[in-house]
Amino acid sequence: MVEYPEIDLFSSLDSPIHRFDPRAKIVAFLCLIFSVVLVQDLRLAFAGLLGSLAFLAASRLPLRFVSQHIKWVSFFIVPFLLILPFTVKGDEIFRFYALKMTYEGLEYGVLVALRAYSAVVLVLPVVATTRFDLTIKALDRLKVPNMLVQMLMFSYRYIFVFVVEFQRTWRAMEARGFKLRTSPSLYALRTVGKALGTLFVRSYERGERVYQALRSRGYTGTRNPKTLVEFKMQARDYALAVLIVGFAVALHAVSFVFARGV
Amino acid sequence: MKREAKRREAKKREVKKREVKKREAKKRKAEAVTVRDLSYTYPDGSKALEKVNMKVYEGERVVIVGPNGAGKTTFLLHLNGTLRGTGGEVKLFGRTLGEMKREEVVKEVGMVFQDPDDQLFMPTLFDDVAFGPINLGLQESEVRERVRKVLALLGLSGYEDRAPHHLSFGEKKKASLAAVLAMEPRVLVLDEPTANLDPRSRTELIGILNRLNEREGITMVIATHDVNAIPELADRIYALNRTVIESGTPWEIFFDGELLKKNNLDVPDVFKIFEVLQCFGFSCESLPLSLDEAVAGLTRTIETEGGHIHLHIHEHTHEGVERWRRKYEHH
């Protein structure tokens, strides 16, 4: 059995976020994402993260699934948290030989991390609570450039095919005694490189055949591929959208007040 | 009871209608696909096809056989204009393919590719099957109706929202056929339809194809290595190896030992077994190519020979078996 990298594995659960109209979901959460990443105040960034977590909790996505995805993003966020406190100039907190940790640096590092985590946390309720094909169709209905929609659609379809293909190659290599783990030598790495190269060549050839198949069924490239899908906004979709966008606006309204008053 | 009688009556009428349709088509014998002196040279200069000539009549099932690399797939890709020959021409129902609009060609000829992953390019089965009809410019309700009908025909109802990577190979194969059938083509071109299928899916697929041919009168051009499927799928065979080597009914091709040997072609297992039986003194008018023919042939022979068949070893048996073995030596 193949393990697929499925982002919409839990799209069949039921929650207010799952029932949310995909188009409104994308627009509303995108507003919120922009809002939280543009927040300048540490307290508000924290509030933003809490709000994001609340929406994530409302989506009822399993914790393991969530942590799995956040884990990978941490590889990019944690370095900021570690490096910024020592590189930004300002009031010194403590010194370790030549390394100087500053208050401003720490604040900036935490701010960046909070904003980044909020954004990542918010992406999950958007893409993981709708079947991915519906997300793509929603993007199409939202008038996202057709070229992008097509690229997304075909990438989504063929990523699974390529995963299987590479796994097959990998198994064939292992079946003939190839091991990467125990001896990551230059030879081994070169072999992996070649295997990847083969995958590229094969994908290229497949691309050609897929194009022939597309053409055989009337594909012309423009305003294509069209899909049939029915989205219907209901009162509760509007309500939820207003709530999310309202939160996004509130963060900045408060930050405006802070800037004035404090 | 009354309803039952009515239904039977309706069925009878339908069967009759189909028969009439078939007879008419036969009478007309219109050429669905005409290929004249078709040549194709790959961009690197190697010749894939050389002066291929072929005629496929309406409602006919033509099978193309030939070794790997004989140009079968390349040839098929010419039938809907995906590839343009470097010489010669292809005609569809009397019209030159090069002069037809792309949409017209696509509407007439449905192409089922060998690897279903090449063909199922949309995120869900519904989208994939709807893809063709939408491109034909049909109304949404009509598109939905066609998808429903075709999925029901192939036993894929309820799979609408499935992603292709969640289908088995057999299901994918049926799905790619469904996607093409939804466009209601008059000619169906299939590249290795039975390859890699398990026996049950294979039998099922052959059944589906034959029903389509019988009921809808769809013309078929099939490239295959599955020699045991040929008697069930072919009205006529073309042996292709860059050019057409031979053509004829399955019977004409499979009886030409020289031709088979020269082109590395195989014959159905049933045929081989009955050849062996002949060496053991079994006599029948014609060797069967399929199991059905075998049953019919055996029944006839037993009836005419007084209730049994008679096998024995005679002076030429071993010699005959040896000759038989040599005939298929290349396998």
Side-chain angles (χ1 to χ4, degrees):
Chain A
M1 198 53 202
V2 187
E3 245 183 68
Y4 292 112
E6 278 177 295
I7 186 72
D8 57 356
L9 193 64
F10 293 101
S11 61
S12 55
L13 297 181
D14 188 38
S15 82
I17 311 287
H18 280 81
R19 272 172 267 144
F20 198 13
D21 182 277
R23 294 166 304 170
K25 198 186 295 183
I26 292 169
V27 174
F29 277 112
L30 208 61
C31 283
L32 187 52
I33 288 173
F34 273 107
S35 172
V36 292
V37 298
L38 291 174
V39 153
Q40 298 295 335
D41 189 288
L42 200 60
R43 288 162 294 177
L44 287 174
F46 192 64
L49 180 64
L50 283 183
S52 308
L53 285 170
F55 285 118
L56 181 64
S59 72
R60 289 190 196 144
L61 291 170
L63 205 61
R64 246 191 77 181
F65 175 80
V66 171
S67 61
Q68 235 172 25
H69 282 87
I70 290 183
K71 182 178 75 189
W72 293 107
V73 189
S74 298
F75 282 107
F76 295 93
I77 300 177
V78 171
F80 279 97
L81 200 56
L82 293 179
I83 294 167
L84 279 174
F86 297 100
T87 50
V88 175
K89 285 199 175 80
D91 299 337
E92 185 182 314
I93 300 175
F94 75 90
R95 184 187 276 274
F96 184 70
Y97 295 103
L99 284 173
K100 196 171 75 173
M101 190 192 232
T102 64
Y103 176 75
E104 281 81 0
L106 186 64
E107 188 181 321
Y108 196 50
V110 173
L111 183 66
V112 167
L114 282 177
R115 297 195 298 201
Y117 273 118
S118 308
V120 173
V121 162
L122 283 172
V123 166
L124 284 174
V126 182
V127 296
T129 59
T130 316
R131 253 177 32 219
F132 200 71
D133 66 285
L134 288 174
T135 304
I136 299 172
K137 287 166 196 166
L139 287 173
D140 188 41
R141 295 302 178 277
L142 288 169
K143 304 271 186 278
V144 168
N146 188 249
M147 192 65 81
L148 288 178
V149 173
Q150 284 191 43
M151 278 166 59
L152 205 57
M153 196 176 262
F154 293 134
S155 310
Y156 174 67
R157 166 70 184 95
Y158 282 100
I159 205 152
F160 297 107
V161 176
F162 294 147
V163 165
V164 173
E165 237 160 53
F166 189 71
Q167 255 171 13
R168 218 158 32 208
T169 309
W170 192 255
R171 278 185 195 143
M173 282 160 68
E174 283 185 331
R176 281 185 281 157
F178 180 78
K179 283 191 201 103
L180 184 63
R181 292 245 165 96
T182 51
S183 59
S185 59
L186 199 60
Y187 162 76
L189 290 176
R190 213 179 285 144
T191 311
V192 174
K194 278 179 190 158
L196 278 170
T198 318
L199 185 69
F200 277 123
V201 173
R202 260 197 266 157
S203 345
Y204 172 77
E205 284 169 356
R206 185 180 289 282
E208 212 162 323
R209 292 197 303 272
V210 171
Y211 181 66
Q212 288 172 347
L214 277 158
R215 294 265 294 153
S216 299
R217 283 197 279 148
Y219 176 82
T220 54
T222 49
R223 273 311 298 160
N224 239 320
K226 284 175 225 155
T227 48
L228 298 183
V229 69
E230 274 169 29
F231 292 127
K232 228 181 196 160
M233 285 288 282
Q234 287 170 338
R236 61 151 193 262
D237 293 319
Y238 285 109
L240 196 49
V242 167
L243 179 73
I244 295 167
V245 176
F247 182 58
V249 173
L251 280 177
H252 281 269
V254 175
S255 104
F256 188 68
V257 174
F258 277 4
R260 278 247 171 129
V262 185
Chain B
M1 272 325 257
K2 232 179 197 175
R3 206 183 299 153
E4 182 69 16
K6 231 180 199 173
R7 228 189 48 206
R8 229 178 291 138
E9 193 65 27
K11 205 169 177 191
K12 242 190 220 164
R13 265 204 305 276
E14 203 184 316
V15 169
K16 214 169 195 180
K17 220 160 76 187
R18 252 185 249 145
E19 271 174 8
V20 171
K21 222 172 161 182
K22 240 188 152 178
R23 228 180 295 136
E24 272 174 4
K26 250 187 195 157
K27 233 191 283 167
R28 267 186 279 129
K29 271 259 180 186
E31 286 171 21
V33 182
T34 318
V35 180
R36 208 172 46 80
D37 289 338
L38 182 71
S39 301
Y40 183 75
T41 312
Y42 279 116
D44 68 359
S46 57
K47 278 188 176 161
L49 299 172
E50 249 186 308
K51 292 195 183 293
V52 175
N53 286 292
M54 187 178 296
K55 269 180 193 162
V56 183
Y57 296 100
E58 241 183 293
E60 200 178 24
R61 301 166 305 162
V62 163
V63 163
I64 298 170
V65 294
N68 289 327
K72 296 190 296 290
T73 302
T74 309
F75 174 74
L76 294 185
L77 287 172
H78 281 84
L79 298 184
N80 78 342
T82 302
L83 290 180
R84 296 277 155 117
T86 38
E89 64 169 0
V90 178
K91 278 184 174 180
L92 274 180
F93 299 101
R95 297 171 64 194
T96 306
L97 200 125
E99 291 163 9
M100 289 167 78
K101 277 196 206 139
R102 182 84 205 150
E103 308 92 79
E104 290 179 295
V105 179
V106 164
K107 195 168 173 277
E108 300 282 21
V109 182
M111 175 92 68
V112 182
F113 288 72
Q114 182 178 356
D115 184 349
D117 275 331
D118 290 342
Q119 185 154 8
L120 302 171
F121 37 67
M122 296 294 272
T124 68
L125 184 55
F126 178 90
D127 293 325
D128 211 282
V129 179
F131 181 85
I134 292 175
N135 285 332
L136 291 179
L138 299 174
Q139 292 293 317
E140 184 174 330
S141 56
E142 165 86 12
V143 173
R144 287 186 186 281
E145 176 56 23
R146 280 202 187 183
V147 175
R148 194 196 58 73
K149 222 171 69 184
V150 156
L151 289 184
L153 178 77
L154 292 176
L156 289 173
S157 302
Y159 283 59
E160 286 83 354
D161 290 338
R162 287 265 198 120
H165 60 269
H166 285 154
L167 298 174
S168 74
F169 187 83
E171 285 163 349
K172 277 194 225 177
K173 204 93 191 183
K174 281 201 286 181
S176 46
L177 179 61
V180 169
L181 286 179
M183 301 178 76
E184 300 190 349
R186 284 206 277 173
V187 179
L188 200 55
V189 177
L190 302 119
D191 196 356
E192 301 278 0
T194 56
N196 293 325
L197 287 178
D198 63 63
R200 196 177 142 189
S201 308
R202 176 180 166 277
T203 313
E204 194 187 347
L205 193 79
I206 292 172
I208 292 169
L209 292 178
N210 281 335
R211 272 201 302 282
L212 283 168
N213 174 261
E214 267 168 44
R215 292 187 190 167
E216 322 275 338
I218 298 180
T219 309
M220 293 186 187
V221 182
I222 306 164
T224 187
H225 283 298
D226 185 354
V227 77
N228 287 313
I230 292 176
E232 296 173 67
L233 275 175
D235 293 319
R236 232 149 31 87
I237 299 178
Y238 276 88
L240 185 84
N241 197 353
R242 269 209 286 175
T243 188
V244 174
I245 293 155
E246 198 71 51
S247 69
T249 60
W251 211 80
E252 285 165 345
I253 297 287
F254 290 136
F255 272 80
D256 194 337
E258 269 309 296
L259 168 95
L260 295 172
K261 193 153 189 172
K262 220 169 68 197
N263 296 293
N264 286 332
L265 296 176
D266 205 355
V267 297
D269 291 338
V270 180
F271 183 85
K272 283 188 199 167
I273 288 170
F274 274 77
E275 276 185 318
V276 174
L277 288 180
Q278 272 188 327
C279 299
F280 287 90
F282 176 73
S283 70
C284 58
E285 305 144 36
S286 69
L287 290 170
L289 292 173
S290 68
L291 283 173
D292 287 340
E293 280 177 34
V295 172
L298 270 177
T299 314
R300 229 177 7 251
T301 312
I302 292 171
E303 273 168 4
T304 49
E305 295 202 352
H308 63 274
I309 52 169
H310 182 69
L311 298 181
H312 62 276
I313 294 178
H314 52 80
E315 49 179 330
H316 300 299
T317 298
H318 295 298
E319 201 181 300
V321 171
E322 203 43 50
R323 216 176 317 120
W324 172 84
R325 228 188 270 281
R326 270 202 303 276
K327 187 174 162 192
Y328 298 111
E329 223 160 37
H330 56 267
H331 297 299

